[in-house]
Amino acid sequence: MKKIFINRLQFAYEIEGTGSPTIVLETGIGAESNEWGSVATTIARSNTVFRYDRAGRGDSDPGQGKRDAQTMVDELNALLEATKARGPYLLVGHSFGGLLMRIFANARRADVCGLVLVESIHSRQFDVIGPAFPTPLPSDVPALARMRDFWNGGWRALDSTAERIDFERSFAQDRAVSSLANLPLFVISAGGFLNMPFITDTEGRQRMQQLWNEIQTDFSHLSENRHMVYVDKSGHFVQRDDPASIVAAVETLLAKSAHTI
């Protein structure tokens, strides 16, 4: 990956392909930008694709102090300008990256021609799903215990993520995005809880999945120009398990937004 300094931090990034719009791939908190490889390679056959590691992730420098979504979006804006990755932009955000892309789209609506939310984080998800985790048992594997703790309050601690994310401030920034007008929107929801092997309670997995699907549907208020698909065989990391579904979503929005480019 190439590297460039933005505000005294060195960011790793990659630009592939040519053509407009530029597809911006934004990852979540449990993966690096290299996991977009299959998606990026396919889309780059006809469009410019931009991906990068946020401060504190992958090959980029660590950030300083606690960090919130607006800080990260500001850094992305500066990075796109410095690398001459010009708009219009079609945004793809996975998990926490979905929250970042909503804020980016809201701030730069005139430069954005589409938004794909992939298993996006929701500002209410911890309140809704945290209490639905199975009651702790002595037989619980460490992965389940860690996840339960994170969803039931652990997320509030800055050291709960490598990036030291201030989730409460970030959620407040996201809630300020009430509408994206008629922006083409595609929501991808996956069977993350259904396909979580360390939760052995089948009914519990189904209940948690139902709650997750409901909050994913809630993103439909952002735009009337929307699509939604459920990829039940995929886990949370759709870019690993079903990259073709993300490519298909991007292609759908490219076709819908062609007249604006």
Side-chain angles (χ1 to χ4, degrees), residues 44-123:
R45 295 169 186 163
S46 56
N47 287 89
T48 302
V49 180
F50 179 92
R51 57 191 171 99
Y52 76 112
D53 291 329
R54 291 191 302 273
R57 298 216 64 89
D59 293 330
S60 292
D61 288 345
Q64 302 299 317
K66 66 180 180 180
R67 295 168 57 75
D68 59 43
Q70 189 61 59
T71 297
M72 298 175 190
V73 170
D74 290 344
E75 288 170 345
L76 173 58
N77 271 307
L79 188 55
L80 290 169
E81 181 177 350
T83 59
K84 303 188 186 310
R86 296 180 176 87
Y89 302 109
L90 195 156
L91 310 173
V92 182
H94 170 252
S95 196
F96 182 68
L99 182 151
L100 297 179
M101 293 298 89
R102 290 193 292 275
I103 295 173
F104 184 105
N106 187 57
R108 298 190 60 176
R109 179 64 187 86
D111 300 318
V112 176
C113 63
L115 173 62
V116 180
L117 298 178
V118 184
E119 281 278 280
S120 178
I121 195 170
H122 192 290
S123 62

